[in-house]
Amino acid sequence: NAGVMQNPRHLVRRRGQEARLRCSPMKGHSHVYWYRQLPEEGLKFMVYLQKENIIDESGMPKERFSAEFPKEGPSILRIQQVVRGDSAAYFCASRGAPSNQPQHFGDGTRLSIL
Amino acid sequence: SQQGEEDPQALSIQEGENATMNCSYKTSINNLQWYRQNSGRGLVHLILIRSNEREKHSGRLRVTLDTSKKSSSLLITASRAADTASYFCATDAMEYGNKLVFGAGTILRVKS
């Protein structure tokens, strides 16, 4: 397994429930980015994390969304009290050092809100 | 318009023809990257061109960068049906974190 792994691939939630999206970066990568993609649009940056630290969360909605990247285990994007507008594809990307290395993407989690 | 705008929005060509996609951006950049996305899948990194480079090749791909015009182009030569996908440019702006700013993409369809 050399790539970025995201799970689940598809997630269905009812309005008001919580959604947890997981991302395991490529081996040796300690920088993780989350992006959201609406249908027929490009990806929009949400948050950038390094191990145990949030570096840039300027793209995260102010409420209901949170992200973490613990010392051990995958990065988690958590959406509380989901609404229909949260339906989208959520992609995780990772990169190694130095900072000019390309980001490598997972296959995404497609979140559908009923 | 936002950083990293591609044109055309959609392109349909015959197998064997060349495909050219363009990207414009607004701010200073560290580098510009092109990605491909097949339907329902994640993004595959194609090529990265740094701000001090003008042209880069990788197989059938050729990327140019004109920082004075803040634009880039992706040329796919001798296209194949398997090249059918969406193509995105993404800029890595001059700020900490290297978050990528994507355009809306070009949908390429190669007919066999």
PDB file of all heavy atoms in Angstrom, chain B residues 69-99:
ATOM      1  N   LYS B  69       2.413  36.443 -17.979  1.00  0.00           N
ATOM      2  CA  LYS B  69       0.987  36.439 -18.322  1.00  0.00           C
ATOM      3  C   LYS B  69       0.161  35.681 -17.298  1.00  0.00           C
ATOM      4  O   LYS B  69      -1.059  35.589 -17.434  1.00  0.00           O
ATOM      5  CB  LYS B  69       0.778  35.817 -19.701  1.00  0.00           C
ATOM      6  CG  LYS B  69       1.398  36.604 -20.839  1.00  0.00           C
ATOM      7  CD  LYS B  69       1.143  35.925 -22.177  1.00  0.00           C
ATOM      8  CE  LYS B  69       1.766  36.723 -23.311  1.00  0.00           C
ATOM      9  NZ  LYS B  69       1.573  36.071 -24.632  1.00  0.00           N
ATOM     10  N   LYS B  70       0.842  35.095 -16.319  1.00  0.00           N
ATOM     11  CA  LYS B  70       0.159  34.290 -15.307  1.00  0.00           C
ATOM     12  C   LYS B  70      -0.721  33.234 -15.980  1.00  0.00           C
ATOM     13  O   LYS B  70      -1.938  33.147 -15.737  1.00  0.00           O
ATOM     14  CB  LYS B  70      -0.664  35.158 -14.350  1.00  0.00           C
ATOM     15  CG  LYS B  70       0.190  36.031 -13.432  1.00  0.00           C
ATOM     16  CD  LYS B  70      -0.670  36.751 -12.405  1.00  0.00           C
ATOM     17  CE  LYS B  70       0.167  37.365 -11.302  1.00  0.00           C
ATOM     18  NZ  LYS B  70       1.182  38.313 -11.769  1.00  0.00           N
ATOM     19  N   SER B  71      -0.083  32.449 -16.830  1.00  0.00           N
ATOM     20  CA  SER B  71      -0.836  31.416 -17.537  1.00  0.00           C
ATOM     21  C   SER B  71       0.040  30.195 -17.771  1.00  0.00           C
ATOM     22  O   SER B  71       1.266  30.271 -17.787  1.00  0.00           O
ATOM     23  CB  SER B  71      -1.350  31.958 -18.871  1.00  0.00           C
ATOM     24  OG  SER B  71      -0.273  32.213 -19.747  1.00  0.00           O
ATOM     25  N   SER B  72      -0.641  29.070 -17.962  1.00  0.00           N
ATOM     26  CA  SER B  72       0.030  27.804 -18.241  1.00  0.00           C
ATOM     27  C   SER B  72      -0.811  27.039 -19.256  1.00  0.00           C
ATOM     28  O   SER B  72      -2.017  27.245 -19.363  1.00  0.00           O
ATOM     29  CB  SER B  72       0.151  26.984 -16.947  1.00  0.00           C
ATOM     30  OG  SER B  72       0.665  25.693 -17.207  1.00  0.00           O
ATOM     31  N   SER B  73      -0.150  26.148 -19.988  1.00  0.00           N
ATOM     32  CA  SER B  73      -0.888  25.284 -20.896  1.00  0.00           C
ATOM     33  C   SER B  73      -0.410  23.855 -20.731  1.00  0.00           C
ATOM     34  O   SER B  73       0.747  23.597 -20.414  1.00  0.00           O
ATOM     35  CB  SER B  73      -0.715  25.731 -22.347  1.00  0.00           C
ATOM     36  OG  SER B  73       0.630  25.528 -22.753  1.00  0.00           O
ATOM     37  N   LEU B  74      -1.334  22.943 -20.937  1.00  0.00           N
ATOM     38  CA  LEU B  74      -1.044  21.514 -20.931  1.00  0.00           C
ATOM     39  C   LEU B  74      -1.371  20.971 -22.305  1.00  0.00           C
ATOM     40  O   LEU B  74      -2.500  21.115 -22.776  1.00  0.00           O
ATOM     41  CB  LEU B  74      -1.879  20.792 -19.867  1.00  0.00           C
ATOM     42  CG  LEU B  74      -1.847  19.251 -19.907  1.00  0.00           C
ATOM     43  CD1 LEU B  74      -0.464  18.737 -19.559  1.00  0.00           C
ATOM     44  CD2 LEU B  74      -2.895  18.666 -18.970  1.00  0.00           C
ATOM     45  N   LEU B  75      -0.387  20.370 -22.940  1.00  0.00           N
ATOM     46  CA  LEU B  75      -0.570  19.755 -24.255  1.00  0.00           C
ATOM     47  C   LEU B  75      -0.433  18.251 -24.112  1.00  0.00           C
ATOM     48  O   LEU B  75       0.561  17.764 -23.549  1.00  0.00           O
ATOM     49  CB  LEU B  75       0.472  20.283 -25.247  1.00  0.00           C
ATOM     50  CG  LEU B  75       0.590  19.546 -26.582  1.00  0.00           C
ATOM     51  CD1 LEU B  75      -0.672  19.740 -27.416  1.00  0.00           C
ATOM     52  CD2 LEU B  75       1.821  20.013 -27.349  1.00  0.00           C
ATOM     53  N   ILE B  76      -1.436  17.538 -24.585  1.00  0.00           N
ATOM     54  CA  ILE B  76      -1.364  16.078 -24.645  1.00  0.00           C
ATOM     55  C   ILE B  76      -1.268  15.714 -26.118  1.00  0.00           C
ATOM     56  O   ILE B  76      -2.174  16.010 -26.906  1.00  0.00           O
ATOM     57  CB  ILE B  76      -2.609  15.416 -24.026  1.00  0.00           C
ATOM     58  CG1 ILE B  76      -2.811  15.886 -22.591  1.00  0.00           C
ATOM     59  CG2 ILE B  76      -2.485  13.893 -24.084  1.00  0.00           C
ATOM     60  CD1 ILE B  76      -4.111  15.374 -21.950  1.00  0.00           C
ATOM     61  N   THR B  77      -0.173  15.087 -26.501  1.00  0.00           N
ATOM     62  CA  THR B  77       0.007  14.735 -27.908  1.00  0.00           C
ATOM     63  C   THR B  77      -0.495  13.317 -28.171  1.00  0.00           C
ATOM     64  O   THR B  77      -0.543  12.477 -27.267  1.00  0.00           O
ATOM     65  CB  THR B  77       1.481  14.819 -28.306  1.00  0.00           C
ATOM     66  OG1 THR B  77       2.231  13.906 -27.485  1.00  0.00           O
ATOM     67  CG2 THR B  77       2.020  16.226 -28.125  1.00  0.00           C
ATOM     68  N   ALA B  78      -0.890  13.083 -29.416  1.00  0.00           N
ATOM     69  CA  ALA B  78      -1.331  11.747 -29.845  1.00  0.00           C
ATOM     70  C   ALA B  78      -2.306  11.150 -28.836  1.00  0.00           C
ATOM     71  O   ALA B  78      -2.065  10.091 -28.258  1.00  0.00           O
ATOM     72  CB  ALA B  78      -0.125  10.831 -30.038  1.00  0.00           C
ATOM     73  N   SER B  79      -3.405  11.837 -28.628  1.00  0.00           N
ATOM     74  CA  SER B  79      -4.336  11.447 -27.556  1.00  0.00           C
ATOM     75  C   SER B  79      -4.899  10.043 -27.774  1.00  0.00           C
ATOM     76  O   SER B  79      -4.990   9.532 -28.901  1.00  0.00           O
ATOM     77  CB  SER B  79      -5.471  12.455 -27.476  1.00  0.00           C
ATOM     78  OG  SER B  79      -6.211  12.449 -28.675  1.00  0.00           O
ATOM     79  N   ARG B  80      -5.276   9.440 -26.649  1.00  0.00           N
ATOM     80  CA  ARG B  80      -5.869   8.099 -26.633  1.00  0.00           C
ATOM     81  C   ARG B  80      -7.208   8.165 -25.919  1.00  0.00           C
ATOM     82  O   ARG B  80      -7.451   9.063 -25.114  1.00  0.00           O
ATOM     83  CB  ARG B  80      -4.945   7.131 -25.901  1.00  0.00           C
ATOM     84  CG  ARG B  80      -3.532   7.082 -26.436  1.00  0.00           C
ATOM     85  CD  ARG B  80      -2.611   6.374 -25.474  1.00  0.00           C
ATOM     86  NE  ARG B  80      -1.233   6.364 -25.958  1.00  0.00           N
ATOM     87  CZ  ARG B  80      -0.179   6.012 -25.222  1.00  0.00           C
ATOM     88  NH1 ARG B  80      -0.360   5.652 -23.967  1.00  0.00           N
ATOM     89  NH2 ARG B  80       1.028   6.028 -25.733  1.00  0.00           N
ATOM     90  N   ALA B  81      -8.046   7.181 -26.168  1.00  0.00           N
ATOM     91  CA  ALA B  81      -9.348   7.135 -25.487  1.00  0.00           C
ATOM     92  C   ALA B  81      -9.168   7.137 -23.964  1.00  0.00           C
ATOM     93  O   ALA B  81      -9.972   7.717 -23.230  1.00  0.00           O
ATOM     94  CB  ALA B  81     -10.130   5.907 -25.935  1.00  0.00           C
ATOM     95  N   ALA B  82      -8.088   6.522 -23.498  1.00  0.00           N
ATOM     96  CA  ALA B  82      -7.830   6.455 -22.055  1.00  0.00           C
ATOM     97  C   ALA B  82      -7.481   7.815 -21.454  1.00  0.00           C
ATOM     98  O   ALA B  82      -7.459   7.963 -20.221  1.00  0.00           O
ATOM     99  CB  ALA B  82      -6.701   5.471 -21.769  1.00  0.00           C
ATOM    100  N   ASP B  83      -7.228   8.807 -22.297  1.00  0.00           N
ATOM    101  CA  ASP B  83      -6.950  10.154 -21.780  1.00  0.00           C
ATOM    102  C   ASP B  83      -8.231  10.883 -21.388  1.00  0.00           C
ATOM    103  O   ASP B  83      -8.170  11.979 -20.810  1.00  0.00           O
ATOM    104  CB  ASP B  83      -6.199  10.991 -22.824  1.00  0.00           C
ATOM    105  CG  ASP B  83      -4.807  10.455 -23.119  1.00  0.00           C
ATOM    106  OD1 ASP B  83      -4.182   9.885 -22.202  1.00  0.00           O
ATOM    107  OD2 ASP B  83      -4.347  10.602 -24.277  1.00  0.00           O
ATOM    108  N   THR B  84      -9.380  10.308 -21.730  1.00  0.00           N
ATOM    109  CA  THR B  84     -10.665  10.915 -21.367  1.00  0.00           C
ATOM    110  C   THR B  84     -10.742  11.072 -19.854  1.00  0.00           C
ATOM    111  O   THR B  84     -10.651  10.097 -19.110  1.00  0.00           O
ATOM    112  CB  THR B  84     -11.824  10.044 -21.876  1.00  0.00           C
ATOM    113  OG1 THR B  84     -11.814  10.041 -23.304  1.00  0.00           O
ATOM    114  CG2 THR B  84     -13.157  10.575 -21.375  1.00  0.00           C
ATOM    115  N   ALA B  85     -10.895  12.304 -19.401  1.00  0.00           N
ATOM    116  CA  ALA B  85     -10.888  12.615 -17.973  1.00  0.00           C
ATOM    117  C   ALA B  85     -11.086  14.112 -17.805  1.00  0.00           C
ATOM    118  O   ALA B  85     -11.180  14.852 -18.789  1.00  0.00           O
ATOM    119  CB  ALA B  85      -9.557  12.200 -17.332  1.00  0.00           C
ATOM    120  N   SER B  86     -11.146  14.559 -16.558  1.00  0.00           N
ATOM    121  CA  SER B  86     -11.112  15.991 -16.248  1.00  0.00           C
ATOM    122  C   SER B  86      -9.685  16.365 -15.876  1.00  0.00           C
ATOM    123  O   SER B  86      -8.999  15.597 -15.190  1.00  0.00           O
ATOM    124  CB  SER B  86     -12.051  16.323 -15.093  1.00  0.00           C
ATOM    125  OG  SER B  86     -13.388  16.124 -15.467  1.00  0.00           O
ATOM    126  N   TYR B  87      -9.262  17.522 -16.312  1.00  0.00           N
ATOM    127  CA  TYR B  87      -7.901  17.983 -16.057  1.00  0.00           C
ATOM    128  C   TYR B  87      -7.964  19.302 -15.291  1.00  0.00           C
ATOM    129  O   TYR B  87      -8.699  20.221 -15.674  1.00  0.00           O
ATOM    130  CB  TYR B  87      -7.132  18.148 -17.366  1.00  0.00           C
ATOM    131  CG  TYR B  87      -6.847  16.824 -18.025  1.00  0.00           C
ATOM    132  CD1 TYR B  87      -7.811  16.196 -18.807  1.00  0.00           C
ATOM    133  CD2 TYR B  87      -5.622  16.184 -17.850  1.00  0.00           C
ATOM    134  CE1 TYR B  87      -7.576  14.959 -19.382  1.00  0.00           C
ATOM    135  CE2 TYR B  87      -5.376  14.943 -18.437  1.00  0.00           C
ATOM    136  CZ  TYR B  87      -6.362  14.338 -19.189  1.00  0.00           C
ATOM    137  OH  TYR B  87      -6.123  13.108 -19.757  1.00  0.00           O
ATOM    138  N   PHE B  88      -7.195  19.366 -14.213  1.00  0.00           N
ATOM    139  CA  PHE B  88      -7.192  20.547 -13.350  1.00  0.00           C
ATOM    140  C   PHE B  88      -5.787  21.105 -13.228  1.00  0.00           C
ATOM    141  O   PHE B  88      -4.817  20.346 -13.087  1.00  0.00           O
ATOM    142  CB  PHE B  88      -7.669  20.192 -11.943  1.00  0.00           C
ATOM    143  CG  PHE B  88      -9.090  19.717 -11.864  1.00  0.00           C
ATOM    144  CD1 PHE B  88      -9.384  18.363 -11.957  1.00  0.00           C
ATOM    145  CD2 PHE B  88     -10.125  20.622 -11.683  1.00  0.00           C
ATOM    146  CE1 PHE B  88     -10.693  17.913 -11.875  1.00  0.00           C
ATOM    147  CE2 PHE B  88     -11.440  20.180 -11.601  1.00  0.00           C
ATOM    148  CZ  PHE B  88     -11.720  18.823 -11.701  1.00  0.00           C
ATOM    149  N   CYS B  89      -5.696  22.424 -13.259  1.00  0.00           N
ATOM    150  CA  CYS B  89      -4.450  23.034 -12.847  1.00  0.00           C
ATOM    151  C   CYS B  89      -4.625  23.501 -11.401  1.00  0.00           C
ATOM    152  O   CYS B  89      -5.734  23.807 -10.960  1.00  0.00           O
ATOM    153  CB  CYS B  89      -4.052  24.207 -13.741  1.00  0.00           C
ATOM    154  SG  CYS B  89      -5.036  25.700 -13.566  1.00  0.00           S
ATOM    155  N   ALA B  90      -3.537  23.516 -10.670  1.00  0.00           N
ATOM    156  CA  ALA B  90      -3.568  23.939  -9.273  1.00  0.00           C
ATOM    157  C   ALA B  90      -2.327  24.759  -8.999  1.00  0.00           C
ATOM    158  O   ALA B  90      -1.221  24.360  -9.354  1.00  0.00           O
ATOM    159  CB  ALA B  90      -3.627  22.726  -8.346  1.00  0.00           C
ATOM    160  N   THR B  91      -2.533  25.906  -8.381  1.00  0.00           N
ATOM    161  CA  THR B  91      -1.405  26.761  -8.069  1.00  0.00           C
ATOM    162  C   THR B  91      -1.061  26.656  -6.588  1.00  0.00           C
ATOM    163  O   THR B  91      -1.929  26.513  -5.729  1.00  0.00           O
ATOM    164  CB  THR B  91      -1.708  28.223  -8.416  1.00  0.00           C
ATOM    165  OG1 THR B  91      -2.952  28.608  -7.802  1.00  0.00           O
ATOM    166  CG2 THR B  91      -1.822  28.412  -9.910  1.00  0.00           C
ATOM    167  N   ASP B  92       0.217  26.699  -6.345  1.00  0.00           N
ATOM    168  CA  ASP B  92       0.779  26.683  -5.002  1.00  0.00           C
ATOM    169  C   ASP B  92       1.262  28.107  -4.763  1.00  0.00           C
ATOM    170  O   ASP B  92       2.268  28.512  -5.326  1.00  0.00           O
ATOM    171  CB  ASP B  92       1.915  25.668  -4.962  1.00  0.00           C
ATOM    172  CG  ASP B  92       2.645  25.659  -3.639  1.00  0.00           C
ATOM    173  OD1 ASP B  92       2.376  26.524  -2.795  1.00  0.00           O
ATOM    174  OD2 ASP B  92       3.498  24.776  -3.467  1.00  0.00           O
ATOM    175  N   ALA B  93       0.495  28.827  -3.954  1.00  0.00           N
ATOM    176  CA  ALA B  93       0.730  30.271  -3.836  1.00  0.00           C
ATOM    177  C   ALA B  93       1.873  30.572  -2.876  1.00  0.00           C
ATOM    178  O   ALA B  93       2.307  29.728  -2.095  1.00  0.00           O
ATOM    179  CB  ALA B  93      -0.546  30.968  -3.381  1.00  0.00           C
ATOM    180  N   MET B  94       2.319  31.798  -2.935  1.00  0.00           N
ATOM    181  CA  MET B  94       3.449  32.269  -2.139  1.00  0.00           C
ATOM    182  C   MET B  94       3.019  32.515  -0.687  1.00  0.00           C
ATOM    183  O   MET B  94       3.042  33.595  -0.188  1.00  0.00           O
ATOM    184  CB  MET B  94       3.988  33.578  -2.716  1.00  0.00           C
ATOM    185  CG  MET B  94       4.647  33.427  -4.059  1.00  0.00           C
ATOM    186  SD  MET B  94       6.220  32.583  -3.925  1.00  0.00           S
ATOM    187  CE  MET B  94       7.185  33.456  -5.133  1.00  0.00           C
ATOM    188  N   GLU B  95       2.600  31.495  -0.040  1.00  0.00           N
ATOM    189  CA  GLU B  95       2.242  31.651   1.363  1.00  0.00           C
ATOM    190  C   GLU B  95       2.488  30.333   2.075  1.00  0.00           C
ATOM    191  O   GLU B  95       2.510  29.278   1.499  1.00  0.00           O
ATOM    192  CB  GLU B  95       0.797  32.117   1.515  1.00  0.00           C
ATOM    193  CG  GLU B  95      -0.224  31.187   0.905  1.00  0.00           C
ATOM    194  CD  GLU B  95      -1.622  31.749   0.972  1.00  0.00           C
ATOM    195  OE1 GLU B  95      -1.993  32.258   2.032  1.00  0.00           O
ATOM    196  OE2 GLU B  95      -2.344  31.664  -0.018  1.00  0.00           O
ATOM    197  N   TYR B  96       2.624  30.370   3.367  1.00  0.00           N
ATOM    198  CA  TYR B  96       2.940  29.205   4.163  1.00  0.00           C
ATOM    199  C   TYR B  96       1.862  28.140   4.049  1.00  0.00           C
ATOM    200  O   TYR B  96       0.682  28.434   4.073  1.00  0.00           O
ATOM    201  CB  TYR B  96       3.073  29.615   5.619  1.00  0.00           C
ATOM    202  CG  TYR B  96       3.492  28.495   6.528  1.00  0.00           C
ATOM    203  CD1 TYR B  96       4.724  27.898   6.368  1.00  0.00           C
ATOM    204  CD2 TYR B  96       2.651  28.057   7.532  1.00  0.00           C
ATOM    205  CE1 TYR B  96       5.109  26.872   7.214  1.00  0.00           C
ATOM    206  CE2 TYR B  96       3.031  27.030   8.370  1.00  0.00           C
ATOM    207  CZ  TYR B  96       4.265  26.440   8.208  1.00  0.00           C
ATOM    208  OH  TYR B  96       4.655  25.439   9.022  1.00  0.00           O
ATOM    209  N   GLY B  97       2.275  26.935   3.896  1.00  0.00           N
ATOM    210  CA  GLY B  97       1.315  25.851   3.893  1.00  0.00           C
ATOM    211  C   GLY B  97       1.167  25.155   2.556  1.00  0.00           C
ATOM    212  O   GLY B  97       0.806  23.994   2.524  1.00  0.00           O
ATOM    213  N   ASN B  98       1.449  25.853   1.472  1.00  0.00           N
ATOM    214  CA  ASN B  98       1.392  25.232   0.155  1.00  0.00           C
ATOM    215  C   ASN B  98       0.044  24.619  -0.181  1.00  0.00           C
ATOM    216  O   ASN B  98      -0.040  23.609  -0.869  1.00  0.00           O
ATOM    217  CB  ASN B  98       2.487  24.164   0.011  1.00  0.00           C
ATOM    218  CG  ASN B  98       3.862  24.737   0.249  1.00  0.00           C
ATOM    219  OD1 ASN B  98       4.450  24.546   1.310  1.00  0.00           O
ATOM    220  ND2 ASN B  98       4.361  25.482  -0.711  1.00  0.00           N
ATOM    221  N   LYS B  99      -1.021  25.223   0.327  1.00  0.00           N
ATOM    222  CA  LYS B  99      -2.324  24.708  -0.078  1.00  0.00           C
ATOM    223  C   LYS B  99      -2.492  24.989  -1.558  1.00  0.00           C
ATOM    224  O   LYS B  99      -2.019  25.992  -2.088  1.00  0.00           O
ATOM    225  CB  LYS B  99      -3.432  25.371   0.732  1.00  0.00           C
ATOM    226  CG  LYS B  99      -3.546  26.872   0.556  1.00  0.00           C
ATOM    227  CD  LYS B  99      -4.531  27.451   1.545  1.00  0.00           C
ATOM    228  CE  LYS B  99      -4.629  28.948   1.397  1.00  0.00           C
ATOM    229  NZ  LYS B  99      -5.417  29.557   2.485  1.00  0.00           N
TER     230      LYS B  99
END
